[in-house]
Coordinates of all heavy atoms in Angstrom, one line a residue:
N1 N 24.2 74.5 -27.6 CA 25.4 74.5 -28.4 C 25.1 74.0 -29.8 O 25.5 74.6 -30.8 CB 26.4 73.6 -27.7 CG 27.2 74.3 -26.7 OD1 27.4 75.5 -26.7 ND2 27.7 73.6 -25.7
S2 N 24.3 72.9 -29.9 CA 23.9 72.4 -31.2 C 23.1 73.5 -32.0 O 23.3 73.7 -33.2 CB 23.1 71.1 -31.1 OG 23.8 70.1 -30.5
S3 N 22.1 74.1 -31.3 CA 21.2 75.1 -31.9 C 22.0 76.2 -32.4 O 21.8 76.7 -33.6 CB 20.2 75.5 -30.9 OG 19.4 74.5 -30.5
A4 N 23.0 76.8 -31.6 CA 23.8 77.9 -32.0 C 24.6 77.6 -33.2 O 24.7 78.3 -34.2 CB 24.6 78.4 -30.9
A5 N 25.3 76.4 -33.2 CA 26.1 76.0 -34.3 C 25.3 75.8 -35.6 O 25.8 76.3 -36.7 CB 26.9 74.7 -34.0
F6 N 24.1 75.2 -35.5 CA 23.3 75.0 -36.6 C 22.8 76.3 -37.2 O 22.9 76.5 -38.5 CB 22.1 74.1 -36.3 CG 21.2 73.8 -37.4 CD1 21.5 72.9 -38.4 CD2 20.0 74.5 -37.5 CE1 20.7 72.6 -39.4 CE2 19.1 74.3 -38.6 CZ 19.5 73.3 -39.5
I7 N 22.3 77.2 -36.4 CA 21.9 78.5 -36.9 C 23.0 79.3 -37.6 O 22.8 79.8 -38.7 CB 21.3 79.4 -35.7 CG1 20.0 78.8 -35.2 CG2 21.1 80.8 -36.1 CD1 19.5 79.4 -33.8
R8 N 24.1 79.3 -37.0 CA 25.3 80.1 -37.5 C 25.7 79.5 -38.9 O 25.9 80.2 -39.9 CB 26.4 80.0 -36.5 CG 27.6 80.9 -36.9 CD 28.7 80.9 -35.8 NE 28.2 81.7 -34.7 CZ 28.1 81.3 -33.5 NH1 28.3 80.0 -33.2 NH2 27.7 82.1 -32.5
K9 N 25.8 78.2 -39.0 CA 26.3 77.5 -40.2 C 25.2 77.6 -41.3 O 25.5 77.6 -42.5 CB 26.8 76.1 -40.0 CG 28.0 76.1 -39.1 CD 28.7 74.8 -39.0 CE 30.0 74.9 -38.3 NZ 30.7 73.5 -38.2
M10 N 23.9 77.5 -41.0 CA 22.9 77.6 -42.0 C 22.9 79.0 -42.6 O 22.8 79.2 -43.8 CB 21.5 77.3 -41.3 CG 21.2 75.9 -41.1 SD 20.8 74.9 -42.6 CE 19.1 75.5 -43.0
R11 N 23.1 80.0 -41.7 CA 23.1 81.4 -42.3 C 24.3 81.6 -43.2 O 24.3 82.2 -44.2 CB 23.1 82.4 -41.1 CG 21.7 82.5 -40.5 CD 21.7 83.4 -39.3 NE 20.4 83.7 -38.8 CZ 20.1 84.3 -37.6 NH1 21.1 84.6 -36.8 NH2 18.9 84.5 -37.3
Q12 N 25.5 81.0 -42.7 CA 26.7 81.1 -43.6 C 26.5 80.4 -44.9 O 27.1 80.8 -45.9 CB 27.8 80.4 -42.8 CG 28.3 81.2 -41.6 CD 29.3 80.5 -40.8 OE1 29.7 79.3 -41.0 NE2 29.9 81.2 -39.8
A13 N 25.6 79.4 -44.9 CA 25.3 78.7 -46.2 C 24.3 79.4 -47.1 O 24.0 79.0 -48.2 CB 24.8 77.3 -45.9
G14 N 23.8 80.5 -46.5 CA 22.9 81.3 -47.3 C 21.4 81.2 -47.0 O 20.5 81.8 -47.7
Y15 N 21.1 80.5 -45.9 CA 19.7 80.3 -45.5 C 19.1 81.6 -44.9 O 19.7 82.2 -44.0 CB 19.6 79.2 -44.5 CG 18.2 78.9 -44.0 CD1 17.2 78.4 -44.8 CD2 17.8 79.3 -42.7 CE1 15.9 78.2 -44.4 CE2 16.5 79.0 -42.2 CZ 15.6 78.5 -43.1 OH 14.3 78.3 -42.6
G16 N 18.0 82.0 -45.4 CA 17.4 83.2 -44.9 C 16.0 83.0 -44.3 O 15.3 84.0 -44.0
G17 N 15.7 81.8 -44.0 CA 14.4 81.5 -43.4 C 14.4 81.6 -41.9 O 15.4 82.1 -41.3
Q18 N 13.4 81.2 -41.2 CA 13.2 81.3 -39.8 C 13.6 80.1 -39.0 O 13.6 79.0 -39.5 CB 11.7 81.6 -39.5 CG 11.4 82.0 -38.1 CD 10.0 82.5 -37.9 OE1 9.0 82.0 -38.4 NE2 9.8 83.6 -37.2
F19 N 14.1 80.4 -37.8 CA 14.5 79.3 -36.9 C 13.5 79.4 -35.7 O 13.3 80.5 -35.1 CB 15.9 79.5 -36.4 CG 17.0 79.3 -37.4 CD1 17.5 80.5 -38.0 CD2 17.4 78.1 -37.9 CE1 18.5 80.4 -39.0 CE2 18.4 78.0 -38.9 CZ 18.9 79.2 -39.4
L20 N 13.0 78.3 -35.3 CA 12.1 78.2 -34.1 C 12.6 77.1 -33.2 O 12.8 76.0 -33.6 CB 10.6 77.9 -34.5 CG 10.1 78.9 -35.6 CD1 10.1 78.3 -37.0 CD2 8.6 79.4 -35.2
N21 N 12.7 77.4 -31.9 CA 13.2 76.5 -30.9 C 12.2 76.1 -29.8 O 11.5 76.9 -29.4 CB 14.4 77.1 -30.2 CG 15.6 77.3 -31.2 OD1 16.5 76.5 -31.2 ND2 15.5 78.4 -32.0
F22 N 12.3 74.8 -29.4 CA 11.6 74.4 -28.2 C 12.3 75.0 -27.0 O 13.5 75.3 -27.0 CB 11.7 72.8 -28.1 CG 10.7 72.1 -28.9 CD1 10.7 72.1 -30.3 CD2 9.7 71.3 -28.3 CE1 9.8 71.4 -31.1 CE2 8.8 70.6 -29.1 CZ 8.8 70.6 -30.4
S23 N 11.5 75.1 -25.9 CA 12.0 75.8 -24.7 C 13.2 75.1 -24.1 O 14.0 75.7 -23.4 CB 10.9 75.9 -23.7 OG 10.5 74.6 -23.3
V24 N 13.4 73.8 -24.4 CA 14.5 73.0 -23.8 C 15.8 73.5 -24.3 O 16.9 73.1 -23.7 CB 14.3 71.5 -24.1 CG1 13.1 70.9 -23.3 CG2 14.2 71.2 -25.6
V25 N 15.9 74.3 -25.3 CA 17.1 74.8 -25.8 C 17.9 75.5 -24.7 O 19.2 75.5 -24.7 CB 16.9 75.8 -27.0 CG1 16.2 77.0 -26.6 CG2 18.2 76.1 -27.7
G26 N 17.3 76.2 -23.8 CA 18.0 77.0 -22.8 C 18.2 78.4 -23.4 O 19.2 78.7 -24.1
I27 N 17.2 79.3 -23.2 CA 17.3 80.6 -23.9 C 18.5 81.5 -23.5 O 19.1 82.1 -24.3 CB 15.9 81.4 -23.6 CG1 15.9 82.7 -24.4 CG2 15.7 81.6 -22.1 CD1 14.5 83.4 -24.4
D28 N 18.8 81.4 -22.2 CA 20.0 82.2 -21.7 C 21.3 81.7 -22.3 O 22.1 82.5 -22.8 CB 20.0 82.3 -20.2 CG 18.8 83.2 -19.7 OD1 18.8 84.4 -20.0 OD2 17.9 82.6 -19.0
P29 N 21.6 80.4 -22.1 CA 22.8 79.9 -22.8 C 22.9 80.0 -24.3 O 23.9 80.2 -24.9 CB 22.9 78.5 -22.3 CG 21.6 78.1 -21.8 CD 21.0 79.4 -21.3
L30 N 21.7 80.0 -24.9 CA 21.6 80.2 -26.4 C 22.1 81.6 -26.7 O 22.8 81.8 -27.7 CB 20.2 79.9 -26.9 CG 20.1 80.1 -28.4 CD1 20.9 79.0 -29.2 CD2 18.6 80.0 -28.9
F31 N 21.6 82.5 -25.9 CA 22.0 83.9 -26.2 C 23.5 84.1 -25.9 O 24.2 84.8 -26.7 CB 21.3 84.9 -25.2 CG 21.7 86.3 -25.4 CD1 21.3 87.1 -26.4 CD2 22.5 86.9 -24.4 CE1 21.7 88.4 -26.5 CE2 22.9 88.2 -24.5 CZ 22.5 89.0 -25.6
S32 N 24.0 83.4 -24.9 CA 25.5 83.5 -24.6 C 26.3 82.9 -25.8 O 27.3 83.4 -26.1 CB 25.8 82.7 -23.3 OG 25.2 83.3 -22.2
A33 N 25.7 81.8 -26.4 CA 26.4 81.2 -27.5 C 26.4 82.0 -28.8 O 27.3 82.0 -29.6 CB 25.9 79.8 -27.7
L34 N 25.2 82.6 -29.1 CA 25.0 83.3 -30.3 C 25.3 84.8 -30.3 O 25.7 85.4 -31.3 CB 23.6 83.1 -30.8 CG 23.3 81.8 -31.5 CD1 21.8 81.8 -31.8 CD2 24.1 81.7 -32.8

């Protein structure tokens, strides 16, 4: 949830760089969130 919200708001703020996540993020729920 934190990761999805951060990615979304960073992009809205104009960030065009890369995001890299540790495996603990939960890849399937991250996909569901984003």
Side-chain angles (χ1 to χ4, degrees):
N1 279 331
S2 298
S3 297
F6 179 78
I7 291 168
R8 186 173 285 122
K9 291 189 176 183
M10 282 287 284
R11 285 175 171 167
Q12 289 171 356
Y15 178 69
Q18 191 168 42
F19 298 98
L20 305 103
N21 291 260
F22 279 65
S23 62
V24 291
V25 66
I27 186 170
D28 291 297
L30 180 64
F31 177 77
S32 296
L34 277 176

